[in-house]
Amino acid sequence: MSPLFRRKPADVAPSQVEEEVNAADNRPRSYTPSKKELGVATPKRAATGRRVQDKAPENRKEAYKQMRERQRAERAEANAGMREGDERYLLARDRGPERSLVRDIVDSRRTVGSWFIAGAVVVLIGSSVPNRTIQNISTLIWALLALAVLVDSILIARKIKKMVSARFPQSTQRMGSLYLYGIMRGLTFRRMRIPKSKVEYGAKL
């Protein structure tokens, strides 16, 4: 049979084949086919919902109530950030890597000062008892407790000086301020310290 009378496959439209061939010939060499031409579906972007704003207050009482709620939420967030040691919420006295190191130094050891308040209460009660012997014992306990706190504070200050000087040789922090900061933290019960302790007893720093 002559080539002129050959039949093309029924499932291919001649006009479509010619258009695709012509389009391919006219494309530049640097042409990059699109995902649609390659048969790859572009994933749809998930719709992101806008943040719902607070309902506009209808009167001054409602506006005041919303303001109080916002302030309460902000205070709760600030307190939580302060306890966790987030620099954004810390007071000026607690900021800086040097003071973070001082906190870890104090928190890694058992301090006599943390029991100072409890001991002072016991001594105060003993001193009020109308018994000369108990009063003398209370006075002796008070003197021993004060001496123990003094010695412990000296040891804390020495360790602060050693570690801060080694890790932050170019620090502009005054050592006396760091000593006082560490000693005052050592006088506070561990559970009441803010920011809260990040290290356990005996931790190596």
Side-chain angles (χ1 to χ4, degrees):
M1 182 179 293
S2 176
L4 297 174
F5 297 95
R6 290 180 182 177
R7 299 180 62 185
K8 295 182 180 181
D11 57 343
V12 180
S15 60
Q16 181 181 0
V17 174
E18 292 177 359
E19 291 177 358
E20 292 179 355
V21 172
N22 293 334
D25 293 339
N26 295 330
R27 293 171 184 169
R29 294 183 179 181
S30 60
Y31 175 78
T32 302
S34 64
K35 292 184 178 180
K36 183 177 180 180
E37 293 175 348
L38 296 176
V40 180
T42 303
K44 295 183 179 181
R45 181 178 298 176
T48 55
R50 294 183 178 180
R51 183 176 180 180
V52 180
Q53 298 181 352
D54 295 338
K55 183 180 178 181
E58 298 178 356
N59 48 50
R60 293 182 61 183
K61 183 178 180 181
E62 186 68 22
Y64 181 73
K65 181 180 179 181
Q66 290 184 7
M67 183 185 68
R68 291 290 300 273
E69 291 177 353
R70 286 196 302 268
Q71 291 177 347
R72 188 181 300 111
E74 291 173 358
R75 284 196 299 268
E77 182 181 0
N79 290 334
M82 190 181 299
R83 287 191 58 82
E84 294 297 328
D86 192 334
E87 288 282 339
R88 297 174 297 174
Y89 302 102
L90 292 180
L91 300 176
R93 67 179 185 185
D94 299 319
R95 293 176 184 171
E98 295 93 343
R99 294 183 181 260
S100 178
L101 177 60
V102 170
R103 291 196 296 270
D104 292 342
I105 292 172
V106 176
D107 297 338
S108 65
R109 54 181 293 155
R110 299 182 185 274
T111 59
V112 179
S114 60
W115 301 101
F116 181 79
I117 297 177
V121 172
V122 173
V123 170
L124 180 62
I125 295 175
S127 300
S128 61
V129 175
N131 187 302
R132 188 64 179 177
T133 302
I134 296 178
Q135 291 178 356
N136 291 336
I137 293 175
S138 299
T139 303
L140 179 61
I141 293 175
W142 176 260
L144 293 175
L145 186 60
L147 179 61
V149 170
L150 178 61
V151 173
D152 194 42
S153 298
I154 294 174
L155 295 177
I156 291 174
R158 291 180 61 183
K159 191 168 185 179
I160 290 174
K161 180 180 180 180
K162 178 180 178 180
M163 296 195 69
V164 171
S165 300
R167 297 194 183 184
F168 306 101
Q170 304 298 327
S171 176
T172 58
Q173 292 279 341
R174 294 183 303 170
M175 280 296 176
S177 178
L178 295 179
Y179 297 159
L180 181 61
Y181 180 71
I183 292 171
M184 294 304 297
R185 186 173 179 86
L187 291 173
T188 308
F189 289 112
R190 186 179 179 86
R191 294 183 179 181
M192 298 176 62
R193 294 172 183 172
I194 298 177
K196 68 178 183 180
S197 304
K198 297 185 300 182
V199 298
E200 300 295 334
Y201 287 129
K204 294 183 178 181
L205 304 178

